[in-house]
Amino acid sequence: MAKSSTPAFPQPRLISTTEDLAETLARLRHEPFLTIDTEFMRERTYWPELCLVQIGGVREVVLIDAVAEELDLTPLAELMADTAVLKVFHAARQDLEIFLHLFDALPSPVFDTQVAAMVAGYGDQVGYDSLVGSLTGHAIDKSHRFTDWSARPLSPAQLTYAAGDVTWLRVVYERLIKKLEQEKRLEWVSAEMAELADPATFRPDPEKQWERLRARTNNRRMLGVLRGVAALREREAQRVNVPRQRLLKDESLLEIAATVPTTIDALARVRGVSRGLAEGRTGLAMIEAVKTAQALPDSELPRLPKGRSKDAPKPSGALMAMLKVLLATCCEEHDVAPKLVASPEDLEALALDPTQANPLLTGWRKRVFGDTALALRNGDIALAVKGGKVALLPTQLTAPK
């Protein structure tokens, strides 16, 4: 797309007092939709530390200084809860997590232009700058992408950069909506937004953290210890507000599960566990978690998630390869991102047992890919190459003579 002229965006204004915030957001709440972004720091903390909130309206662009000492964010919480105002984000998950942590409620309603772009055929998890370029021809300034947003004062260049995250987002949203309406795909986007309205999406369950560690064992007792210590680390990381890996690395948890230390000395011998940690509150709690897991009856011990066990049935590699080719073919035909349609786990489940519940066999995914995938798996169609592209052909299977 040829580069377009820059629209006449409003000049951004920095807000650092509660009175100014309340008056400004009272005006903005009369608009049908607002574009929103956040700048935060998270390198040294478990919870993201909000530094700046950008909000774009038709006539106003405001930058809320979230670290200002005299600023009460209650008016912002009220805006986030106002269901009459659509909140438009790009790649909303981290922003929504911040608001949920701050206000104990998710913004509603929400529209994520990254998800919408995947539905509209702009690729898997397309970045904001790439999407702006594709839809408007404008090149986004990236010079302050890695800036320290907690430092004050913010420079005019930083404020201009931050404002760009919500000014061009209005143009992106309007053009995406037009395209999705023309292609009758707005309902597809709505179906994907449901996950962003569920607080559980953004609140990791400590009791399930062990599953992401990829333990290479079927020993349920070891898995029970791993579950206990991984849950303990998660709660401790939240309590002291440090990243979980900074508190204790994954490798250390796996070694604890394997060696089962029940004394301070034994825990201190685990690689990555300092003597100070072993003797402190976290270490003592870790030892208790190990003992508790060791005392569990066999019936309460976890099993590897389905498909992760060494004994779990594996789908045919050739069939998986064919389904991946078919997925790419169907997504190319419908101009939609493959990653949005099917996960590797969805494909494996379909390859192993097409009768079990599967997201690929419901809603718009069924129309785009699921029905065709079943036809391929059942031998009703075959893959071929015609004119340099993959084509689907009906089959006429006959019994061997």
Side-chain angles (χ1 to χ4, degrees), residues 4-298:
S4 59
S5 59
T6 302
F9 294 131
Q11 285 297 311
R13 181 167 59 85
L14 186 64
I15 291 178
S16 56
T17 68
T18 304
E19 181 181 8
D20 192 5
L21 179 64
E23 292 176 354
T24 301
L25 296 190
R27 290 192 300 272
L28 288 173
R29 285 172 69 173
H30 291 290
E31 300 204 18
F33 79 91
L34 297 170
T35 50
I36 303 174
D37 190 38
T38 64
E39 305 297 347
F40 57 92
M41 303 295 290
R42 199 174 195 170
E43 287 77 5
R44 298 180 297 274
T45 60
Y46 181 95
W47 305 109
E49 296 182 331
L50 181 63
C51 301
L52 196 70
V53 181
Q54 307 99 287
I55 301 181
V58 173
R59 291 172 292 278
E60 290 186 88
V61 173
V62 295
L63 311 177
I64 303 169
D65 187 355
V67 301
E69 292 183 1
E70 299 181 0
L71 185 64
D72 180 354
L73 292 177
T74 298
L76 179 62
E78 294 170 350
L79 171 65
M80 294 296 108
D82 189 344
T83 57
V85 183
L86 178 66
K87 293 86 178 172
V88 178
F89 297 83
H90 182 82
R93 286 177 178 265
Q94 292 192 90
D95 304 307
L96 297 182
E97 180 190 4
I98 289 171
F99 290 127
L100 178 62
H101 180 60
L102 279 177
F103 306 136
D104 199 31
L106 286 170
S108 178
V110 165
F111 187 95
D112 189 334
T113 55
Q114 186 179 68
V115 174
M118 293 170 74
V119 172
Y122 287 95
D124 290 330
Q125 297 179 324
V126 60
Y128 177 64
D129 50 349
S130 297
L131 187 58
V132 171
S134 297
L135 287 169
T136 73
H138 177 79
I140 293 291
D141 175 19
K142 304 178 184 178
S143 58
H144 293 282
R145 174 166 292 182
F146 301 108
T147 196
D148 181 356
W149 292 103
S150 65
R152 293 295 182 272
L154 294 171
S155 69
Q158 286 176 305
L159 297 178
T160 299
Y161 171 87
D165 286 339
V166 292
T167 51
W168 285 101
L169 188 55
R170 292 188 67 87
V171 181
V172 165
Y173 169 73
E174 290 169 341
R175 295 188 181 181
L176 276 176
I177 284 291
K178 183 177 180 180
K179 179 177 173 62
L180 292 167
E181 286 176 339
Q182 291 173 343
E183 297 175 354
K184 295 181 171 53
R185 294 190 180 185
L186 274 178
E187 65 173 278
W188 297 15
V189 179
S190 297
E192 299 310 303
M193 291 298 132
E195 185 179 4
L196 299 181
D198 182 1
T201 301
F202 309 95
R203 287 177 169 154
D205 183 352
E207 297 298 326
K208 293 184 178 180
Q209 287 301 300
W210 70 276
E211 296 179 3
R212 52 177 291 277
L213 298 180
R214 299 284 174 180
R216 298 180 178 179
T217 180
N218 287 330
N219 185 319
R220 295 179 62 200
R221 184 63 57 183
M222 178 178 171
L223 294 177
V225 174
L226 184 62
R227 180 179 64 183
V229 296
L232 185 279
R233 180 186 66 171
E234 194 72 13
R235 295 190 181 97
E236 283 292 286
Q238 293 176 2
R239 181 183 67 82
V240 299
N241 195 24
V242 298
R244 61 174 72 91
Q245 291 279 17
R246 181 169 292 190
L247 181 67
L248 201 61
K249 293 189 179 299
D250 291 349
E251 293 79 5
S252 298
L253 290 184
L254 289 166
E255 185 175 344
I256 289 171
T259 59
V260 197
T262 56
T263 66
I264 291 174
D265 288 341
L267 182 59
R269 286 195 292 270
V270 171
R271 185 176 181 180
V273 178
S274 67
R275 185 78 191 184
L277 187 145
E279 293 177 343
R281 171 174 171 169
T282 299
L284 296 177
M286 191 71 65
I287 290 170
E288 286 305 309
V290 170
K291 291 178 179 178
T292 299
Q294 282 290 87
L296 288 174
D298 290 349

Side-chain angles (χ1 to χ4, degrees), residues 118 124-125 214 306-308 313-317 319-325 327-328 331 337-353 356-360 365 369 373:
M118 293 170 74
D124 290 330
Q125 297 179 324
R214 299 284 174 180
K306 194 173 183 180
R308 289 258 305 275
K314 302 295 182 184
S316 160
L319 176 56
M320 285 293 296
M322 291 178 68
L323 286 173
K324 290 175 182 178
V325 171
L327 175 64
C331 290
K339 186 174 290 187
L340 185 68
V341 177
S343 69
E345 293 75 19
D346 294 335
L347 290 178
E348 284 191 9
L350 185 67
L352 283 169
D353 183 2
Q356 69 175 345
N358 193 313
L360 300 179
R365 287 180 173 82
F369 175 68

